[in-house]
Amino acid sequence: MTVNKYCKMFLGAAVLSTSLMGCVEPEDKNGGAIDHSSAQQAINASVNNLGETISNSLAFLEDSKLFSDNFDSYLGGGYECEPGEEEWCEPEEPTPFDSDVSKPKEELIKALNERIFTQKNVESETGTSVTYLLKGDAVCVADEYDEPSEHGRCVKFVNDAQIRLIASSAGAGSADVSVKIGPNRISPINFEFRPKMIAASPNIGEMKKAAEYLAPLNDEDADISGFPAKASGELRLSLQETGDKTLEGKIAITKAIDVGEGDWALKLAAAPEGFVITADGLAKTIKASLGLGEISGLFPYSSSEEGYGYDEEGNEIEPSVVADPVMAKLNIGGLSGSALFDAGKELLSLTNLSLGAKTSTLDLNDKRVLSVDLNKDDGRSFDVTIKKPGDHTQIELSPAFDLRMILAFAQAKDELESIQDWMFDEVMSIKFTGASPAFELNGDDFKVLSGKLSLTAEKAGISHVVEAGQCLVSDISVEPFEDDSDEPIEGEEPVESGSEPNPLEELVVGTCG
């Protein structure tokens, strides 16, 4: 993997991982006495307490049919065989949701005590701080490596990296840990451990510096010129016990994120309350809110790569033919909304879902090829209620749903090889209107319960109107030919590249079932 790819993944993962946690106000740090033993005890207690809170606050989800069914379908990892696949397909049962995190919690505490915050790694103690210098023979366990050489490389890398963890205390039972890397003490992230809270504060700029320092240590031939020229922004994230069986996670983009190098960039506006989620095990509810500002991205896209893959020895083969990349610029006005899941009522409510206060756009080589508006005439937001009174999931919308997309990919047809003809010049819309628009999902059936669903492709002259009591289903007579072989299936004509029908042509309004 090239350094350029590595750094994009490294920084991208740093940004995306913040969606899992949240922010808290820093405590008064007047300093306090701390030594190796008290630091280890504070960290262990924090991890142990939060692990128990996670299990207790999420246990009610195991008994929720609405949650379990959707978890199994989308996150459980199961697989059902399609008709005609029986001879070679092996179905897999999904892994059910399990709120018990006691085993991974114990494994984490064991690893922290035996590899990280261990007496062997203590470099110095001052009475108000403890400095741990990670040692390769403590961090890298020989039994976990197939070859001695691999273990040796791990030991050398850890030793050369000079990773220090400086622990201090803000008060009894607490430990703050500042990560320092290399002889210049680069500081990519700080942690706070409290009896009922764990927080982390990553600095994107310092993470870039750390990656640049560590890359040559892992690969002597690493070319760090591919690391992003711009890398700035700060985040704060935390998990906190706020009550009996109640867990709260927060995220804040405390300083706007701006990461990029030449032909790619990512910008996220500051968001002090970007993401908040609360699980209440007693009330059996989960509440969440999202409040991200404008998001913009610039990245190269190529639709033609030949010869890409790996040789017999597993080495990456560079593409032999690559079309000139198209520069894609994406701008989203924002992402916001709130959610309430009530397991007792088997109800999920989403409110004020929005893509921001302006049109979201996609440009290719500075040419506008896609514009998207959501509920432009209804405050640019909508509400959703999802419930499962029986075997079927029912979804209600308010005040309406109006998605409008203007496609103009004809402007980029010379640069892109895989754009379908129907995307060259089209205006598509999905409207769900009425006093209380609602629909039901039952297998492959999309049944309108109330209101009216309208789907249109203006330029193609396609229009579907689904009234209450009717279903929207696939018309298998116009399904495109799909086959990996060069020979068509007998009795079927292959569809030429670029001639797939508009997706609305594959739908019909019919009788449910």
Side-chain angles (χ1 to χ4, degrees), residues 49-96:
N49 291 342
L50 276 176
E52 292 183 1
T53 302
I54 291 172
S55 297
N56 292 334
S57 61
L58 298 180
F60 70 93
L61 294 175
E62 297 179 18
D63 299 324
S64 167
K65 182 174 176 59
L66 178 60
F67 176 84
S68 297
D69 287 352
N70 285 280
F71 179 88
D72 291 349
S73 299
Y74 301 108
L75 299 175
Y79 183 79
E80 295 182 2
C81 298
E82 299 292 335
E85 298 179 347
E86 290 81 359
E87 293 185 2
W88 55 269
C89 174
E90 295 183 4
E92 295 183 11
E93 289 292 326
T95 301

Side-chain angles (χ1 to χ4, degrees), residues 479-490:
E479 284 193 46
F481 170 76
E482 295 181 3
D483 187 51
D484 294 332
S485 66
D486 295 330
E487 296 296 328
I489 299 175
E490 183 178 355

Side-chain angles (χ1 to χ4, degrees), residues 359-378:
T359 303
S360 296
T361 59
L362 173 65
D363 295 350
L364 298 179
N365 286 349
D366 295 324
K367 299 173 183 176
R368 184 64 42 84
V369 297
L370 178 65
S371 301
V372 178
D373 280 303
L374 178 62
N375 274 23
K376 184 177 180 179
D377 298 324
D378 286 290

Side-chain angles (χ1 to χ4, degrees), residues 215-249:
L217 301 181
N218 189 50
D219 181 1
E220 294 180 357
D221 299 324
D223 178 10
I224 63 172
S225 63
F227 279 89
K230 295 188 300 181
S232 63
E234 294 181 7
L235 309 134
R236 186 170 179 79
L237 42 147
S238 77
L239 285 173
Q240 183 175 15
E241 178 186 338
T242 57
D244 186 17
K245 295 184 179 181
T246 305
L247 178 71
E248 182 182 74

